[in-house]
Amino acid sequence: MPNHSFKLNGQQVDVDVEDDVRMLWVLRDKLGVRGPKYGCGINVCKACTSHINGKAFNPCAVPVSEIEPDDEITTIEGLADSEGKKLHPMQEAWLEYDVAQCGYCQPGQIMAAVAKVRQVQSEGREITDEDLDEIRNICRCGTYMRIREAIKAGAEKM
Amino acid sequence: MPAHRRSSAPVAFGHRDMGRRRFLGYLFAAPTLAVGVKLGIDLAGGDTASAAIPAPPQPADLYDLSDALTDAARPTANLITVVVNEDGTVSFDLPRAEVGQGITTSIAMIIAEEMDVPLDKVKITLADARPELVFNQLTGGSNTIHAMYTPIRVAAAIAKGALLDAAAAILQENRERLTSREGLITGPAGTVLSYGELAKAAAATETRMVEAPPLKPASEFKIVGTPQNRLDAYDAVTGRKQFAMDLDVPGATPTMVARPPSIGGTVEGIRNEDEVRNMPGVVDIATIRTGVAVAAETFGQCIDAVRALDIEWGPGLVDGESDDTIIEKLRAAAIPLPPGLPGAKVIETDFTFAFRSGSPLETNGAVADVRDGKAEIWYGAKVPITAQAEIALLLGIPQTAVTLHVVQSGGSFGRHLFPDAALEAAEASQKMGRPVKLMWHRTDDARHGRTHPMTTVSIRTSYNDDAVLAYHQHHTSVETDTQHGLGEAISAQATKLPPGNYSVAQSLFLLTAKTSYNFGVTNQLLHEIPLQFPTSSVRNVYSPDVRLAQELVVDQLANAMGQDRYEFRRAYAKTDHLRKVLDKVAEMGDWGRSVPDGVGYGIAVHDEYKMIMACMAEVDARPETVNRPIRNGKTGPRVTKVWYAAIPGSVVVNPRGMEAQLMGGITDAVGLVFTAGLHIKDGIPLEGSWDDYFYTRQWNVPEEINIEILEPDPTLEVPGAGEAGVAAACGAIASAYAAAIGEIPKFFPILHDELGFEPKPLVPPIPESPTNGLDFTF
Ligand code: FES
Ligand code: FES
């Protein structure tokens, strides 16, 4: 079986798995990293949102063969560490606004939120309601309103 | 008879005079302090006297679903147990499911309050199936806090009393001179003993019945009634919260099921089993009742194998049915409305509600290890006892050989009332002889998962220039499956309804359907047709449709009688509470102000789960809003603002949690009114994921949702919030839309006619995993 190597939450990992297995299953089933959730497997629900080299991506839609050894994959488990903190400011905002209900969507929501804020900040802007409207992550418990508040609050600390 | 029960002298269930009532419990012989209390202590309900009622009271006015579930729990009660551990923590094994509604936090708050222990020292776990609890282990009808508030307080009070006794003995002091705070007991000389230190000393050497000390008066509450964050929030935001598919059960192999191209279709044969067995990662294949199960090293390889399977399918259960044929059947089966009153003017309106999906974000899934005549199952069961029994029956082993662990779920919306995934996992594990973790694909969940069934509603109301004289509302619906134990609990109570002899569904309907207005002769009924779609009680069950239809007819009545829609509702509202919440939202939303053409606002009420609620909503239906572009999404009219007010029953344990639940209900309503519906074609929904089942998304979220929880009514019982928000919000949003476009919508969701997506193929049953994810990074 082919061997694949990449950086995962700050550590180089190796895994033996077929080339076409999507990253979500490499993370969850092979490496036991269960923060990224399955909600569709077709890049729609965004529950699996993680980061590749600091940008949001959906591992359910990326074969492991597309990942290079020097690519840095960050999942919710590694988000705070990536900034050398116990909790990322966005996670803190999530706690402050008591966003989570069932919590299933929230790892993906937080990872998407961080990427979205980084994106607008790199454009030299502040996050707007239109930016928030672009976030596609489903929350079937209906926590969207608190998500919006938390993103705005978290953005100020990023 | 409930009416009789209600007419007895008012007895506070809430915190008003609980301190004076006495309850019994047990001290168990155990290594550390353990207290048991019966669930369903016999507590008479509060007196819910309403204003003078010209319309005869309806069943739901007298005795609603909350009462039925609570009463169902009474005679068969067994013990729940609070344990104090040596590390100073207090543990409680909750016989309920946590599916996101926040009950673990509320229950911990109740225990922390009564015991004077810090909230983070209370550890709540979910109990395995406990058959002896019978109806007491059933999560549904927003009933948990309603049913458990007092029993849990009693157990906690006894535990604290035992700790005080133990401390008194050690310190050789009079118990009355000791104080308890933050998990510590302090003597008059300042000596401090922690609950942890006392846990062993306070333990009983033999089990005995004890009387509970007086419960803490509400005036001393420091935790209950204050806004608290969820106790599992940290785990949720760090990715540590575990759902069924996150559990590490040794050897459990990822497993998925290839499902038929129409609901209930059967496997006639597999044409290429050997070929698929040789695919990379594939471990095993077994035919189960619902399809062909494939186990593989990763779920990704399960997806590939399911897609590769070439299966010969037999017919399904509803192959001939599509939206149109079902509507036709419903219309034909409808029980005719009584004629309008002679000489009166009549308004008559028909509504249709499409099938709606109960799919949570976490798809159906369960872990099962069935070997050597024993089964161990991990599943987020809301009715674990029934689930355990069904699993035993399917596997052909005794119920006592099935251990069912209740795990946290990523939402339920009716799905977890049934053990669908647990049955499949158990069967697959038995046939494969290995532990499996079985998960539904999103497309499985959308197409084969349980739904809220299609319903037609006919309303006829008679009025003259002075008053509304009669109101009849008939629902005709595809059958809702209530064979999950919730059904048994309700049917057991149905005899309490005057005059008895209803089906389970009719009982449930009658226990929840209300006309909140004095409209003279009033009747609401439900008639079901037996089509075998997989259905269940989706959040708030019948109420969203009941309210939405009723409130739109109320708008028509107000307009026909030349009255303002809000003033009209005030005048006809059955109770002062309803008037109060109507006034509140009208004030919050500045009722009466002018808005641009194409924008409108509406108002509605709802009263259920010991919550009296009103909602005002504003909708922007101007073309530039309706047509705002969103990739692969339905935009449509936008709900811009929502104002919501509620008078809760006696105790709001966690206002922050209640607000979150109401917000969730309102968010559901946005989708239910405009976009979230299933299109049935040839016996199966066309929808196969979230970009075709248009649940509310960020681009549909209102700019503002303002919720005010008003002073609780001490004469009402403890409220439940999990489902409460949906119905009034549906009514207000539909009313706002009608005002915006100047026309009453008759079909829901309103945008059902625009399909808005390309349906995914039925064979293979699930779509392939995309490979272009890196094109969409941001
Ligand atoms: S699971 Fe990856 S987007 Fe849904
Ligand atoms: S919190 Fe349950 S899906 Fe978002």
Side-chain angles (χ1 to χ4, degrees):
Chain A
M1 224 180 301
N3 180 273
H4 301 271
S5 177
F6 49 89
K7 270 206 198 99
L8 173 62
N9 295 330
Q11 297 207 321
Q12 198 72 33
V13 294
D14 279 283
V15 57
D16 291 326
V17 63
E18 303 292 338
D19 283 350
D20 63 347
V21 174
R22 306 304 187 266
M23 275 299 284
L24 180 59
W25 310 117
V26 175
L27 293 170
R28 289 186 55 89
D29 297 343
K30 300 296 268 189
L31 298 168
V33 176
R34 307 257 161 78
K37 299 291 179 235
Y38 169 83
C40 70
I42 49 172
N43 205 352
V44 159
C45 75
K46 308 293 176 179
C48 66
T49 307
S50 301
H51 293 170
I52 180 163
N53 305 323
K55 290 187 154 202
F57 87 118
N58 289 92
C60 69
V62 179
V64 62
S65 57
E66 302 225 342
I67 306 295
E68 304 294 331
D70 56 353
D71 279 337
E72 291 195 33
I73 307 293
T74 310
T75 65
I76 188 73
E77 289 93 338
L79 177 67
D81 280 351
S82 70
E83 313 233 333
K85 299 206 181 89
K86 197 166 159 265
L87 283 180
H88 186 278
M90 198 58 83
Q91 289 168 311
E92 272 167 4
W94 242 250
L95 291 181
E96 191 188 329
Y97 284 82
D98 198 34
V99 175
Q101 287 190 23
C102 80
Y104 196 81
C105 71
Q106 303 298 353
Q109 300 278 8
I110 292 168
M111 297 306 279
V114 168
K116 195 81 204 165
V117 171
R118 282 183 190 152
Q119 184 188 34
V120 301
Q121 286 181 347
S122 74
E123 292 165 13
R125 301 191 289 117
E126 288 201 359
I127 194 126
T128 63
D129 280 315
E130 288 68 36
D131 293 319
L132 296 175
D133 280 1
E134 283 175 11
I135 294 178
R136 299 190 70 89
N137 298 55
I138 302 272
C139 175
R140 185 60 176 80
C141 296
T143 68
Y144 298 114
M145 202 73 206
R146 287 187 180 176
I147 289 175
R148 293 170 91 94
E149 290 169 344
I151 295 178
K152 286 177 189 168
E156 288 188 5
K157 306 230 169 75
M158 275 176 62
Chain B
M1 283 291 293
H4 178 71
R5 184 165 72 86
R6 291 289 193 209
S7 67
S8 57
V11 179
F13 182 98
H15 54 223
R16 206 176 44 177
D17 67 352
M18 283 303 272
R20 294 202 303 273
R21 300 195 60 194
R22 292 306 181 117
F23 304 100
L24 298 174
Y26 298 84
L27 283 171
F28 290 126
T32 62
L33 174 60
V35 177
V37 161
K38 264 174 107 177
L39 256 186
I41 286 169
D42 190 26
L43 292 166
D47 182 6
T48 51
S50 41
I53 307 173
Q58 293 177 273
D61 287 331
L62 299 174
Y63 186 84
D64 75 8
L65 181 60
S66 303
D67 296 312
L69 294 179
T70 304
D71 284 0
R74 278 173 190 157
T76 58
N78 221 299
L79 301 181
I80 51 164
T81 312
V82 168
V83 178
V84 180
N85 306 301
E86 281 185 90
D87 61 0
T89 58
V90 177
S91 31
F92 179 68
D93 208 25
L94 174 66
R96 289 289 189 277
E98 170 69 60
V99 298
Q101 76 278 46
I103 53 171
T104 47
T105 303
S106 299
I107 297 287
M109 288 171 72
I110 297 167
I111 292 172
E113 181 70 70
E114 202 63 44
M115 285 192 71
D116 297 324
V117 71
L119 188 51
D120 61 10
K121 287 268 161 77
V122 183
K123 306 291 172 208
I124 308 289
T125 47
L126 305 183
D128 288 353
R130 292 176 58 190
E132 75 283 4
L133 289 176
V134 195
F135 293 139
N136 274 322
Q137 195 169 9
L138 180 160
T139 311
S142 296
N143 175 258
T144 298
I145 304 299
H146 184 80
M148 303 194 76
Y149 180 65
T150 301
I152 287 174
R153 289 183 71 197
V154 169
I158 293 173
K160 187 174 83 180
L163 291 165
L164 283 165
D165 284 343
I170 292 169
L171 299 174
Q172 305 207 326
E173 273 292 348
N174 199 326
R175 178 178 146 154
E176 275 61 53
R177 305 189 61 196
L178 308 180
T179 53
S180 57
R181 234 187 103 245
E182 298 277 302
L184 303 170
I185 290 175
T186 311
T191 319
V192 177
L193 290 168
S194 73
Y195 286 8
E197 289 171 82
L198 293 164
K200 268 190 155 152
T205 44
E206 60 190 41
T207 300
R208 62 175 196 274
M209 191 179 243
V210 290
E211 187 178 319
L215 302 183
K216 196 190 253 192
S219 56
E220 290 174 19
F221 283 179
K222 292 195 194 70
I223 299 172
V224 166
T226 63
Q228 296 286 340
N229 288 356
R230 290 179 64 110
L231 295 181
D232 55 1
Y234 186 86
D235 285 351
V237 304
T238 51
R240 286 178 207 180
K241 183 166 174 179
Q242 286 195 322
F243 302 88
M245 294 299 105
D246 302 330
L247 302 173
D248 269 315
V249 175
T253 312
T255 301
M256 288 174 108
V257 178
R259 292 173 200 279
S262 66
I263 286 168
T266 50
V267 180
E268 302 292 315
I270 309 170
R271 300 190 187 97
N272 61 345
E273 182 168 337
D274 290 346
E275 200 180 300
V276 175
R277 274 184 186 275
N278 287 326
M279 287 177 67
V282 172
V283 173
D284 208 345
I285 293 181
T287 298
I288 61 172
R289 293 182 311 164
T290 50
V292 178
V294 184
E297 235 172 88
T298 66
F299 279 110
Q301 288 158 323
C302 292
I303 293 174
D304 294 342
V306 163
R307 287 178 50 79
L309 277 168
D310 184 0
I311 300 165
E312 192 183 331
W313 294 107
L317 296 167
V318 283
D319 286 359
E321 304 298 345
S322 298
D323 274 1
D324 289 347
T325 64
I326 303 163
I327 292 175
E328 228 172 85
K329 287 199 167 76
L330 291 171
R331 296 228 168 103
I335 295 172
L337 290 158
L341 296 185
K345 291 179 244 187
V346 168
I347 288 176
E348 206 178 307
T349 316
D350 295 325
F351 300 95
T352 304
F353 295 86
F355 277 87
R356 279 140 288 174
S357 173
S359 208
L361 189 56
E362 179 198 26
T363 56
N364 267 338
V367 183
D369 185 354
V370 183
R371 285 178 296 182
D372 310 324
K374 284 198 309 274
E376 193 170 4
I377 315 281
W378 291 259
Y379 175 65
K382 291 181 94 178
V383 197
I385 301 165
T386 317
Q388 186 191 35
E390 269 190 70
I391 291 164
L393 195 68
L394 174 71
L395 299 177
I397 61 177
Q399 187 165 350
T400 47
V402 178
T403 306
L404 173 57
H405 307 291
V406 179
V407 296
Q408 311 241 10
S409 307
S412 169
F413 315 108
R415 293 282 170 96
H416 288 261
L417 288 167
F418 295 87
D420 299 330
L423 288 167
E424 290 182 342
E427 188 182 1
S429 174
Q430 190 182 45
K431 293 203 162 133
M432 294 177 180
R434 66 170 67 244
V436 302
K437 45 164 96 171
L438 184 143
M439 185 178 82
W440 289 32
H441 192 277
R442 168 58 50 202
T443 305
D444 298 331
D445 220 66
R447 287 186 165 153
H448 295 272
R450 292 173 183 272
T451 60
H452 180 75
M454 182 175 251
T455 302
T456 57
V457 181
S458 299
I459 296 175
R460 181 179 286 155
T461 174
S462 303
Y463 64 102
N464 62 21
D465 292 342
D466 304 322
V468 181
L469 307 168
Y471 178 89
H472 290 93
Q473 177 167 2
H474 286 188
H475 286 230
T476 314
S477 178
V478 171
E479 199 164 62
T480 296
D481 189 345
T482 47
Q483 304 303 310
H484 45 51
L486 175 63
E488 285 161 45
I490 293 162
S491 59
Q493 297 303 309
T495 48
K496 297 194 174 172
L497 289 167
N501 211 15
Y502 299 97
S503 73
V504 170
Q506 282 168 332
S507 307
L508 183 54
F509 183 82
L510 289 171
L511 290 167
T512 56
K514 287 186 189 182
T515 299
S516 304
Y517 307 101
N518 285 315
F519 285 164
V521 183
T522 301
N523 191 24
Q524 285 166 289
L525 65 81
L526 168 72
H527 178 62
E528 294 188 312
I529 61 170
L531 281 177
Q532 287 176 282
F533 283 93
T535 57
S536 67
S537 299
V538 178
R539 197 175 197 177
N540 211 190
V541 205
Y542 304 108
S543 299
D545 300 354
V546 171
R547 293 309 322 163
L548 194 160
Q550 183 167 107
E551 297 288 357
L552 287 180
V553 170
V554 172
D555 280 356
Q556 287 174 289
L557 278 167
N559 290 339
M561 294 169 76
Q563 294 183 38
D564 175 75
R565 291 174 292 151
Y566 153 57
E567 295 292 349
F568 180 90
R569 283 173 168 83
R570 266 197 117 260
Y572 282 90
K574 273 183 178 169
T575 66
D576 287 337
H577 275 0
L578 287 170
R579 268 182 284 282
K580 194 165 164 189
V581 287
L582 278 166
D583 290 348
K584 186 75 208 175
V585 293
E587 178 200 314
M588 290 162 78
D590 191 13
W591 184 271
R593 75 197 139 83
S594 61
V595 284
D597 276 356
V599 177
Y601 47 77
I603 192 164
V605 299
H606 188 58
D607 169 5
E608 194 176 3
Y609 317 111
K610 312 303 170 192
M611 299 273 285
I612 297 98
M613 300 164 281
C615 181
M616 177 172 160
E618 184 183 271
V619 166
D620 181 351
R622 291 175 294 184
E624 61 270 32
T625 301
V626 172
N627 302 320
R628 64 197 188 280
I630 295 283
R631 173 175 64 88
N632 294 342
K634 255 192 195 174
T635 48
R638 187 152 191 178
V639 181
T640 45
K641 296 187 179 98
V642 177
W643 301 273
Y644 203 98
I647 299 175
S650 54
V651 183
V652 178
V653 175
N654 184 5
R656 205 165 197 200
M658 178 175 279
E659 193 190 279
Q661 290 303 311
L662 291 174
M663 205 174 266
I666 293 164
T667 307
D668 270 19
V670 171
L672 289 173
V673 172
F674 290 113
T675 53
L678 293 168
H679 296 79
I680 308 296
K681 183 145 186 293
D682 303 328
I684 194 161
L686 293 177
E687 280 73 8
S689 87
W690 296 112
D691 277 359
D692 33 23
Y693 185 73
F694 298 106
Y695 178 72
T696 312
R697 301 284 281 267
Q698 282 291 4
W699 53 85
N700 310 112
V701 173
E703 290 157 18
E704 273 181 39
I705 298 178
N706 301 292
I707 296 171
E708 288 222 20
I709 297 170
L710 307 179
E711 196 52 34
D713 178 345
T715 68
L716 289 179
E717 294 181 17
V718 182
E723 305 172 78
V726 189
C730 279
I733 292 167
S735 165
Y737 177 72
I741 65 158
E743 201 182 305
I744 301 283
K746 307 271 173 66
F747 198 107
F748 295 91
I750 288 167
L751 302 179
H752 195 68
D753 273 354
E754 298 169 23
L755 191 57
F757 62 92
E758 183 65 39
K760 294 175 187 30
L762 295 166
V763 180
I766 57 176
E768 77 180 313
S769 311
T771 54
N772 62 352
L774 291 181
D775 298 346
F776 300 98
T777 57
F778 64 87

